[in-house]
Amino acid sequence: MTTTQSPPRLEPRSPRGRRDRLPGVGAGEKAIGLLNGGFLLLWGLITALPLLWAILSAFKTNGEFRVDPLGLPSGVQWDNFSRAWSAANIGQYFLNSVIVVSISVTLTMLFGAMGAYVLARYDFPGNRFIYYLFLGGLILPVFLALVPMFFVVRNLGSLPVIGQFLGLNSYLSLALVYVAFSMPFTVFFLTAFFRTLPNSIAEAGIVDGCSHFSLFWKVMLPMARPGLISLALFNFLGHWNQYVLPLVIMQDSDKKVLAQGLGTLAASTGFRADWSALFAGLVIALLPVLIVYIIFQKQVQAGLTAGVLK
């Protein structure tokens, strides 16, 4: 029995006799990788250091903050949080934000998913016009809509029956305003996401006897879960940190949301020099955002990359 040996592999040579570089990481790719890594490290420091400074400042006394604003606290001052929660009324503002954001995010994702699904999966006259109408809402500056929005919301309070739930200083009115300003991007994002879902599964559902309503709720919506979670977190961040819109609608001191409360606390702190309570209020405002992101971190990454992978 004879064995044959394959001829030795010859590396390609350049016309001048030099061996060409095999595919791999060259000096240019290494330089670009180092540059990207350095930029990401710098960006991480710019983002993390102010957050860490705010957290450390929340545990200082006012005297320590005035003497050494960048130093470490000598101990843990838990009374800063209790003072911010009760004396600065951050607790009431926090509860108001939870109510408004819970309503607004739920309605935004519900109506946005329904509208995006129809625009992505069904062809009908006016489909593209409605889609581009939503896209046009992305270029509308919020400040141009403040004055007409104020009069519209105020007039809603004079409507019979439902007027008592709407109008100025109403949680539902502010939530609906959040929904209106969040809907363009929500529809834009989810429309592109629903288009990436396979048609074969939808067709199989129709063949098995699913109605269009059941197909959306039981088949397509669960498949779009990564995108829904990513967008829900994005809307949550935007609604939670919103300041301009509630400043126009919520004029009653007991109905203000957390961003307004922190602004009021910052203005009063400039005269009372209660900086530790201000930073404690900032940490209280940051906690829900950090908790939500930590819980849904993997789902957010999956939702952002799902469209690319498919």
Side-chain angles (χ1 to χ4, degrees), residues 4-292:
T4 59
Q5 297 181 351
S6 59
R9 182 179 179 181
L10 299 178
E11 297 182 358
R13 294 179 177 270
S14 62
R16 295 183 180 181
R18 293 175 302 179
R19 293 182 178 180
D20 293 334
R21 184 184 300 274
L22 293 175
V25 180
E29 288 81 358
K30 290 182 179 179
I32 294 176
L34 292 176
L35 183 62
N36 292 335
F39 176 77
L40 292 177
L41 179 60
L42 178 62
W43 181 259
L45 292 176
I46 294 175
T47 305
L49 288 180
L51 177 62
L52 181 61
W53 177 67
I55 295 175
L56 292 177
S57 299
F59 295 100
K60 295 181 179 180
T61 62
N62 289 322
E64 291 176 342
F65 186 85
R66 286 191 295 267
V67 173
D68 189 8
L70 300 179
L72 296 176
S74 59
V76 179
Q77 305 295 329
W78 293 108
D79 61 317
N80 295 338
F81 293 90
S82 61
R83 190 167 66 253
W85 185 267
S86 57
N89 208 22
I90 293 297
Q92 181 63 42
Y93 301 147
F94 187 92
L95 179 61
N96 295 340
S97 293
V98 170
I99 295 174
V100 173
V101 173
S102 299
I103 298 174
S104 62
V105 172
T106 302
L107 294 180
T108 300
M109 298 309 301
L110 176 62
F111 296 146
M114 294 170 65
Y117 175 75
V118 172
L119 293 175
R121 312 294 296 192
Y122 295 95
D123 293 328
F124 57 89
N127 181 299
R128 304 308 297 171
F129 174 77
I130 297 175
Y131 177 72
Y132 289 122
L133 193 63
F134 277 107
L135 291 185
L138 294 173
I139 64 176
L140 177 65
V142 176
F143 294 96
L144 293 181
L146 292 180
V147 175
M149 179 193 67
F150 171 79
F151 288 105
V152 169
V153 174
R154 188 188 65 176
N155 295 334
L156 287 176
S158 60
L159 294 176
V161 183
I162 63 173
Q164 57 182 334
F165 303 105
L166 300 173
L168 299 176
N169 301 314
S170 170
Y171 297 134
L172 183 58
S173 295
L174 182 59
L176 292 177
V177 170
Y178 284 175
V179 172
F181 280 96
S182 302
M183 193 61 66
F185 183 77
T186 301
V187 172
F188 168 73
F189 183 91
L190 290 181
T191 300
F193 195 88
F194 276 119
R195 286 173 179 169
T196 63
L197 300 181
N199 293 325
S200 59
I201 297 179
E203 295 172 354
I206 294 295
V207 171
D208 291 339
C210 282
S211 63
H212 294 284
F213 185 83
S214 300
L215 180 65
F216 170 71
W217 287 104
K218 297 181 179 180
V219 180
M220 307 305 291
L221 201 61
M223 292 177 59
R225 181 182 177 184
L228 293 174
I229 294 177
S230 301
L231 195 56
L233 179 58
F234 179 84
N235 286 325
F236 171 78
L237 295 177
H239 297 178
W240 185 263
N241 297 323
Q242 183 59 244
Y243 177 75
V244 177
L245 296 178
L247 189 65
V248 176
I249 297 176
M250 294 300 194
Q251 301 176 354
D252 189 355
S253 58
D254 293 333
K255 295 295 185 67
K256 290 182 179 180
V257 296
L258 189 56
Q260 290 176 280
L262 291 176
T264 304
L265 180 59
S268 62
T269 297
F271 301 99
R272 295 184 302 166
D274 194 1
W275 297 102
S276 57
L278 174 61
F279 282 102
L282 291 175
V283 172
I284 293 174
L286 286 173
L287 283 179
V289 177
L290 294 177
I291 293 173
V292 170

